[in-house]
Amino acid sequence: MGGAFLAAAVLARLGGRIGLPTIPLFILAGILLGPHTPGYTLLSNPHDLEMLSALGLVLLLFYLGLEFHMDDLKTGGRKMAIAGGTYLVLNVGAGLGFGFALGWGTSEALVLAGVLGISSSAIVTKILVDLGRIGNPETRPILGIIVVEDVFLALYLAALQPILSGADSLSAMLIDGGKAFGFLLLLALAARFGTKLIGKLMNTKDDELLVISFLGAAVFVAGVSEMFGVADAIGAFMVGLMLGSTASGERILKLVHPLRDAFGAIFFFAFGLSIDPGDLPSVFWPVLAAVILTLAMNVAAGLAASKVYDFGSQATANIATTLVARGEFALILATMAAAAGLDKRLSPFIAGYVLLLAVLAPLAAGRSHWLARILPGGRGKDSGGSKDDDKDQEQIPVSV
């Protein structure tokens, strides 16, 4: 564990000198020191960091929930649903069509629909934090799309599992989907109506007790979520959503910051450990085609979301480039596909696709102004917000 932290830190420091984002460097550290790369192997079994990696994902999404206040859901629910639904239709639909075009099989196409269709909540969150965009107007629809994706993700996994396992029982499929939806509904009701009670239970002047309390709550609910067929990350997100609106919200946000950064680095490092570079050349052209398709669909989704929110060209570019990243959900699907005995080309394809987008997404998001110049209205407007505040958006100070 100590070696993983140090390796990630050294590469991130070196990359920072030439302006590279930290996410792909953490992943690169995992690849270089993993079992699939010649030379020194820090960890021969990637599962040794499985629990720490899961904790990193939980804390990243918990932090995201703290930033995404209930007021955002109350005031922007309809727009959020439209933007998120449009994003899913474009990207999941394109992924399904791409899967059938490859001709690897129907089950494989269903897996690829999820791989190409769902953004990485962890990487998107890290990009927003690293670029200081948490306070930007376009960040609300970005987070809203992630929420819609996570809700879809829970139902999608519940429906896909019996298909991949060969189960032909419709009743079993409906029961699994009903359990996931019911638990999501319970969490949503708690976030909507239980904030005052939760705030009283969490309130304490002692920072030590507060850390133990919110960490226990986030991890416990994440674990219970997984038992009900809901992604652990969405459970942690909902806890953050509840606590962010309490009187202790600001203190929790400050206290969780170093925990999020430390274990988030382990999450990306562990991701790198699972990648075998030797498998990538065999799927190079399908990966390249999938990346180009994803970039195109994200630009289309960004334009659609900006039309809903009346944003300018810079905000459109920010939405399109920030949501490009694919990550933890794709890896879950790769594991499910391998366990189900699907086409062996799926695993290296998913690894190459996710790695390439994990590198491209932070770079593209940091240079989104290039895309903004060629979008409709981009030559005269470099805004990050709505059409009425185009000139001032870049000046908004952000503290995270």
Side-chain angles (χ1 to χ4, degrees):
M1 179 179 172
F5 275 125
L6 289 175
V10 169
L11 275 182
R13 283 174 176 267
L14 293 175
R17 294 179 181 272
I18 55 177
L20 290 177
T22 58
I23 294 169
L25 294 170
F26 292 155
I27 296 173
L28 180 61
I31 294 175
L32 294 177
L33 296 175
H36 307 296
T37 305
Y40 177 73
T41 299
L42 179 66
L43 285 166
S44 58
N45 186 1
H47 292 293
D48 289 344
L49 289 180
E50 188 172 9
M51 183 61 72
L52 296 175
S53 173
L55 183 58
L57 178 59
V58 164
L59 289 173
L60 281 167
L61 270 294
F62 174 70
Y63 180 87
L64 179 61
L66 289 170
E67 287 284 0
F68 197 80
H69 298 297
M70 283 299 299
D71 288 342
D72 298 328
L73 287 174
K74 295 174 184 176
T75 59
R78 181 175 176 273
K79 290 183 177 180
M80 182 180 73
I82 293 174
T86 302
Y87 188 92
L88 287 173
V89 168
L90 288 172
N91 285 272
V92 174
L96 184 62
F98 180 80
F100 281 120
L102 285 179
W104 291 355
T106 301
S107 295
E108 287 79 359
L110 291 172
V111 169
L112 288 173
V115 171
L116 271 66
I118 306 295
S119 304
S120 167
S121 301
I123 298 179
V124 168
T125 304
K126 191 70 164 58
I127 290 172
L128 292 172
V129 172
D130 285 352
L131 296 179
R133 290 180 180 169
I134 290 291
N136 283 19
E138 74 275 6
T139 296
R140 290 185 179 182
I142 289 173
L143 299 184
I145 289 172
I146 288 177
V147 172
V148 173
E149 283 185 318
D150 284 338
V151 173
F152 171 80
L153 161 61
L155 301 176
Y156 180 78
L157 283 178
L160 187 62
Q161 182 61 51
I163 296 175
L164 295 185
S165 63
D168 53 1
S169 172
L170 180 61
S171 61
M173 187 186 305
L174 292 175
I175 289 173
D176 289 341
K179 284 167 57 180
F181 181 78
F183 188 73
L184 281 173
L185 181 61
L186 181 63
L187 289 178
L189 291 174
R192 176 65 179 86
F193 300 107
T195 303
K196 289 184 179 180
L197 176 61
I198 293 170
K200 290 180 180 179
L201 294 173
M202 194 65 57
N203 188 36
T204 176
K205 295 181 179 180
D206 190 320
D207 283 349
E208 179 184 8
L209 293 178
L210 185 58
V211 169
I212 295 172
S213 299
F214 74 68
L215 188 60
V219 176
F220 179 76
V221 174
V224 174
S225 298
E226 204 165 35
M227 292 173 60
F228 280 89
V230 177
D232 53 2
I234 188 63
F237 174 87
M238 295 301 292
V239 175
L241 191 66
M242 298 174 204
L243 298 184
S245 300
T246 66
S248 304
E250 290 297 325
R251 287 173 60 209
I252 294 174
L253 194 65
K254 182 179 179 180
L255 292 169
V256 77
H257 206 282
L259 293 171
R260 180 211 67 191
D261 288 343
F263 289 99
I266 292 295
F267 169 78
F268 295 112
F269 181 88
F271 174 26
L273 290 175
S274 67
I275 296 176
D276 185 352
D279 292 336
L280 301 181
S282 64
V283 290
F284 174 78
W285 292 112
V287 166
L288 185 61
V291 167
I292 293 172
L293 178 63
T294 300
L295 293 173
M297 289 300 100
N298 272 264
V299 171
L303 289 168
S306 291
K307 186 173 183 180
V308 172
Y309 285 87
D310 197 29
F311 284 151
S313 60
Q314 183 60 55
T316 303
N318 288 349
I319 294 171
T321 54
T322 302
L323 289 167
V324 160
R326 301 294 188 264
E328 62 279 359
F329 177 51
L331 294 181
I332 293 171
L333 285 174
T335 303
M336 292 172 61
L342 300 187
D343 196 301
K344 293 182 178 180
R345 291 170 290 185
L346 269 179
S347 292
F349 169 87
I350 294 173
Y353 173 75
V354 170
L355 179 61
L356 188 54
L357 285 181
V359 173
L360 284 178
L363 294 173
R367 293 158 181 80
S368 59
H369 54 281
W370 294 354
L371 175 61
R373 292 171 185 165
I374 63 174
L375 291 176
R379 294 186 179 277
K381 297 179 181 179
D382 292 320
S383 76
S386 65
K387 295 177 181 178
D388 294 330
D389 58 14
D390 285 348
K391 296 180 180 179
D392 299 327
Q393 175 56 39
E394 298 293 341
Q395 307 301 320
I396 294 178
V398 177
S399 175
V400 295

